[in-house]
Amino acid sequence: MSVRELVVLGTASQVPTRHRNHNGYLLRWDGQGLLFDPGEGTQRQMLRAGVAAHDLNRICITHFHGDHSLGLAGVIQRINLDQVPHPVTAHYPASGERFFDRLRYATAYRETVRLKQRPVAEDGELDRSKSYALEARKLSHPVESYGYRLVEPDTRRMLPEKLAAHGIAGPDIGRLQRTGELAGVRLEEVSELRRGQKFAFVMDTRLCEGVYALADGADMLVIESTFLDEDIQLAVDHGHLTAGQAASVARDAGVRHLVLTHFSQRYPDPDEFERQARAAGFTGELTIAQDLMRVPLPKRH
């Protein structure tokens, strides 16, 4: 059975708190596992969340600030210790190659797994599989930062009643799907478009074109909201978003499910992030992320 869900491993900005670990987010996408921004303590959070090293197929780093990458060393060593049987691909800003290499080889261990390094140097598609294309867009932060986006290809849903009306059954259905036409019947006549799902991951950034490009039409947008709106100048100065800004992006981009995360320790009441997001006019599904939370992607249309 296919599973598409976000497993939240940590939600703290800059420093962990008693209730929030450093960043860490696992996207389960059918049989694939994509780990985003493993901050310090991610390996332990994986254990608490029931996530195994074998679940990881990709690691995506937005930028090399510690709260987004210091857990990388432990995760890579755990992948090797557990002898994960498949290759693991790592994406990260190319300008941070030296940081990735230092974290990968921070201490001595035995490499048993093929870890493919695929640094990101520009906007565009990074990789493509049968179930999704992985894209990156540059963000606006004091150090080079990229956000990520998964796009599932559109497919067609066969309509049994229309197939039956044209007398198409059994192996002929497969032939029609492969060729697009069978005995004068076009695929479009007996099927309907099924839009592929989209997932976007946006961390430390000011408002910029990349944020909107990543969020556009997303079924789920995971986005930082480090500050509340009254501290917007701090957000601008340090390259971050407020709750209202993040929600406005989601509103304008037609996002179905908004997940706010990466909260500053200065705010004791997480409910205020929800209030400000709603005040900004976002009316879709909204989650204020908490550690070890599981958030399913919205059902397909």
Side-chain angles (χ1 to χ4, degrees), residues 35 38-44 46 53 56 59 69-82 103-107 109:
L35 178 64
E40 186 178 353
T42 292
Q43 187 180 176
R44 180 169 176 79
M46 288 171 58
L56 306 183
I59 302 172
S69 62
L70 280 176
L72 186 61
V75 169
I76 290 176
Q77 292 192 25
R78 185 57 180 269
I79 289 170
N80 284 274
L81 178 66
D82 289 0
L103 289 164
R104 180 175 181 177
Y105 299 111
T107 64
Y109 66 99

Side-chain angles (χ1 to χ4, degrees), residues 3-254:
V3 174
R4 294 186 180 181
E5 68 174 2
L6 177 73
V7 182
V8 180
L9 302 173
T11 57
S13 167
Q14 194 172 37
V15 295
T17 71
R18 290 187 178 185
H19 305 291
R20 296 187 182 276
N21 197 73
H22 265 169
N23 289 280
Y25 310 86
L26 176 76
L27 175 64
R28 294 190 186 275
W29 186 277
D30 301 339
Q32 293 270 310
L34 295 92
L35 178 64
F36 294 90
D37 281 7
E40 186 178 353
T42 292
Q43 187 180 176
R44 180 169 176 79
Q45 293 295 95
M46 288 171 58
L47 179 65
R48 297 180 67 199
V51 175
H54 284 64
D55 295 330
L56 306 183
N57 298 89
R58 293 186 191 273
I59 302 172
C60 299
I61 307 294
T62 59
H63 66 291
F64 284 100
H65 277 155
D67 54 331
H68 296 261
S69 62
L70 280 176
L72 186 61
V75 169
I76 290 176
Q77 292 192 25
R78 185 57 180 269
I79 289 170
N80 284 274
L81 178 66
D82 289 0
Q83 299 184 23
V84 171
H86 53 259
V88 177
T89 303
H91 303 283
Y92 51 89
S95 62
E97 185 90 43
R98 66 191 187 280
F99 299 124
F100 185 92
D101 289 342
R102 289 171 187 168
L103 289 164
R104 180 175 181 177
Y105 299 111
T107 64
Y109 66 99
R110 179 168 173 263
E111 288 190 291
T112 62
V113 175
R114 182 185 174 200
L115 179 65
K116 298 185 291 184
Q117 296 183 210
R118 296 281 301 277
V120 184
E122 59 184 8
D123 290 356
E125 186 175 299
L126 302 176
D127 207 350
R128 180 178 289 269
S129 68
K130 288 184 178 180
S131 60
Y132 64 83
L134 178 64
E135 304 170 354
R137 293 290 186 277
K138 194 170 185 178
L139 300 174
S140 175
H141 198 53
V143 300
E144 189 173 34
S145 182
Y146 284 89
Y148 296 94
R149 175 178 166 96
L150 272 76
V151 179
E152 179 184 30
D154 293 340
T155 57
R156 300 202 70 85
R157 181 187 290 109
M158 306 305 289
L159 301 173
E161 66 281 3
K162 293 191 176 183
L163 289 168
H166 287 280
I168 300 174
D172 283 343
I173 297 175
R175 295 189 186 98
L176 176 59
Q177 289 175 311
R178 290 191 297 272
T179 63
E181 186 174 345
L182 182 70
V185 179
R186 292 179 294 107
L187 179 62
E188 292 79 5
E189 297 177 60
V190 293
S191 65
E192 62 184 9
L193 185 66
R194 188 183 196 188
R195 294 289 184 188
Q197 288 190 314
K198 299 178 178 68
F199 170 88
F201 185 81
V202 177
M203 283 294 117
D204 300 16
T205 183
R206 304 174 184 91
L207 288 177
C208 64
E209 290 184 7
V211 174
Y212 289 98
L214 291 162
D216 185 35
D219 293 276
M220 178 178 285
L221 169 64
V222 181
I223 187 169
E224 69 117 319
S225 57
T226 308
F227 295 102
L228 291 174
D229 292 343
E230 55 266 31
D231 293 318
I232 189 169
Q233 192 56 53
L234 282 174
V236 173
D237 292 345
H238 295 284
H240 287 291
L241 298 173
T242 68
Q245 287 178 318
S248 297
V249 169
R251 178 198 65 208
D252 296 343

